[in-house]
Amino acid sequence: MSKAIPVGVSARHVHVTREHLDILFGEGYQLTVKKPLSQPGQFACEEQVDLITEKGSFKKVRILGPERKQTQVEISLTDSLKLGIKPPVRDSGNLAGSPGLTIVGPKGQVTIEEGVIAACRHIHMTIADAAELGLKDKDIVKIAFGGERGLIFDQVLIRVSDSFKLDCHLDTDEANAAKIGNSDTVELIK
Amino acid sequence: MSKAIPVGVSARHVHVTREHLDILFGEGYQLTVKKPLSQPGQFACEEQVDLITEKGSFKKVRILGPERKQTQVEISLTDSLKLGIKPPVRDSGNLAGSPGLTIVGPKGQVTIEEGVIAACRHIHMTIADAAELGLKDKDIVKIAFGGERGLIFDQVLIRVSDSFKLDCHLDTDEANAAKIGNSDTVELIK
């Protein structure tokens, strides 16, 4: 059984808590929507921060809103080499034992002890999508993509919720290894 | 039929002509061996150059020796976004229509009109290896790698010559998408 799934490529980004937003941008500061993301209620913000480690830095890294319960930095493994840290490949929110770094905003800076991960590739889908495909939350599937850098990704995590919309999230290393862009679709292979 | 193939991960690098080496490092300059590479006669040099486009730059990019007939810059597609150029995915030496950039050395700089590519993933092997595997030069095969970012790469080019040593070359996007390192092996799948 196979199905075409739209792709969203995630560049490095930051999710912030209310507490950290107060420090980085000022007490009570509200994130500004730049554009909605594929997942309902999620948005790219106008706000950007710098990420700094002992070995390197990235300037103007975008915050994705809304605020979250934990501050989380998602980078590619290519990025991690520049920063000299070793983020684990993890599902969003699973931060235990991950490395930290310093986040610098216009009004202040925060050093997190953990929270930097390389996102595990995953597919968001609704309960109806999952039923149609015979899948359940946390299943692992394969996806295929053709073309001049054609490949099959294994270890793709299924995330099911009616707050989601069908979308396959890859990071920039994965997308570039396959030469996949945001307008492409991948084929889900059970 | 399957066979374990050692992996070499290629970071961004530059091959230079004698003419360009004269300009970048001075007339008659000789490249200095930093360490031998997996392919016989090839070596990483002590010499580094900066790569500059209108949109971005990379400092201290290593030259790989020996000198070549054409200057060639190999970058990842992640790198290409920072530089704002669109290198084709190509086999080494196939540079027609590829973008250029400016290379800056300690004694001068060179602007090449073409020569920047993203390397096509490939496996170097001897004639004996090819015979054992029933392959020939320019065949396309698949390779598999397991683990937490397990995948199967299609479109892997076979290069056969007795001046080669068995080695699968991936760029940093490909290696990071699979979480493969230089001490890993991939499985060739016919």
Side-chain angles (χ1 to χ4, degrees):
Chain A
M1 186 173 185
S2 73
K3 184 181 174 73
I5 313 275
V7 169
V9 181
S10 300
R12 71 184 79 98
H13 64 268
V14 179
H15 301 283
V16 289
T17 61
R18 179 65 253 168
E19 176 196 3
H20 288 163
L21 191 56
D22 283 341
I23 299 170
L24 295 167
F25 285 84
E27 193 78 19
Y29 187 89
Q30 293 299 309
L31 290 168
T32 317
V33 177
K34 178 182 167 72
K35 74 173 182 191
L37 298 174
S38 65
Q39 295 309 306
Q42 305 293 306
F43 53 92
C45 301
E46 294 290 350
E47 289 76 14
Q48 294 173 310
V49 291
D50 295 346
L51 303 180
I52 300 177
T53 64
E54 281 188 18
K55 192 174 167 195
S57 65
F58 286 107
K59 293 192 174 294
K60 296 187 177 177
V61 178
R62 198 162 298 284
I63 294 179
L64 302 190
E67 298 155 17
R68 290 207 180 176
K69 287 181 186 169
Q70 288 178 290
T71 289
Q72 176 172 306
V73 177
E74 294 179 47
I75 63 174
S76 70
L77 295 183
T78 292
D79 291 342
S80 76
L81 292 174
K82 185 174 174 193
L83 295 181
I85 57 178
K86 292 192 175 180
V89 176
R90 291 278 180 81
D91 186 22
S92 188
N94 180 5
L95 307 182
S98 62
L101 47 58
T102 297
I103 305 171
V104 180
K107 293 290 174 65
Q109 67 180 55
V110 172
T111 296
I112 56 173
E113 295 302 316
E114 65 181 23
V116 185
I117 61 170
C120 175
R121 51 201 177 226
H122 58 279
I123 300 173
H124 293 279
M125 60 178 64
T126 63
I127 294 169
D129 291 328
E132 178 195 338
L133 292 162
L135 293 171
K136 62 182 189 303
D137 193 45
K138 298 186 182 171
D139 277 355
I140 302 291
V141 300
K142 294 182 176 68
I143 55 174
F145 187 70
E148 63 182 331
R149 278 192 159 180
L151 51 64
I152 295 172
F153 285 119
D154 197 355
Q155 307 297 329
V156 183
L157 178 68
I158 297 294
R159 297 307 315 273
V160 180
S161 163
D162 275 343
S163 69
F164 292 156
K165 185 181 162 194
L166 187 64
D167 207 23
C168 175
H169 286 184
L170 302 174
D171 76 7
T172 49
D173 287 337
E174 293 165 332
N176 289 327
K179 212 172 180 186
I180 291 179
N182 279 318
S183 58
D184 291 318
T185 60
V186 291
E187 187 176 6
L188 189 148
I189 303 169
K190 277 193 69 178
Chain B
M1 185 172 189
S2 74
K3 183 179 176 74
I5 313 276
V7 169
V9 181
S10 300
R12 72 183 79 97
H13 64 268
V14 179
H15 302 283
V16 290
T17 61
R18 178 66 252 166
E19 177 196 3
H20 289 163
L21 191 56
D22 283 341
I23 299 169
L24 295 167
F25 286 84
E27 193 75 22
Y29 188 90
Q30 293 298 310
L31 290 169
T32 317
V33 177
K34 178 181 166 72
K35 72 172 182 191
L37 298 175
S38 65
Q39 295 309 307
Q42 305 292 307
F43 53 92
C45 301
E46 294 289 351
E47 289 76 13
Q48 294 173 310
V49 291
D50 296 346
L51 303 180
I52 300 178
T53 64
E54 282 187 16
K55 194 175 167 194
S57 65
F58 286 107
K59 291 188 177 298
K60 295 187 179 178
V61 178
R62 197 162 300 284
I63 293 178
L64 302 190
E67 297 155 19
R68 289 207 182 176
K69 287 182 187 170
Q70 289 178 290
T71 289
Q72 174 173 309
V73 178
E74 294 178 47
I75 63 175
S76 71
L77 295 183
T78 293
D79 291 342
S80 76
L81 293 173
K82 186 175 176 195
L83 295 180
I85 56 178
K86 292 192 175 178
V89 176
R90 291 277 179 82
D91 186 21
S92 188
N94 179 5
L95 307 181
S98 62
L101 46 57
T102 296
I103 305 171
V104 180
K107 292 288 173 66
Q109 67 179 56
V110 172
T111 296
I112 56 173
E113 295 303 316
E114 64 181 24
V116 185
I117 60 171
C120 175
R121 50 201 178 225
H122 58 278
I123 300 173
H124 293 278
M125 60 177 64
T126 63
I127 295 169
D129 292 326
E132 179 194 336
L133 292 162
L135 292 171
K136 62 182 188 305
D137 193 45
K138 298 186 183 171
D139 277 353
I140 302 291
V141 301
K142 295 183 175 70
I143 54 173
F145 187 71
E148 62 182 330
R149 278 192 158 178
L151 52 63
I152 294 172
F153 285 118
D154 197 354
Q155 306 298 328
V156 184
L157 178 68
I158 296 294
R159 298 306 316 271
V160 180
S161 164
D162 273 345
S163 69
F164 293 155
K165 186 181 162 193
L166 187 65
D167 207 23
C168 175
H169 286 184
L170 302 173
D171 76 6
T172 48
D173 287 337
E174 293 165 332
N176 288 328
K179 212 171 178 185
I180 291 178
N182 279 320
S183 58
D184 291 318
T185 60
V186 291
E187 188 177 6
L188 189 148
I189 304 171
K190 280 193 67 179

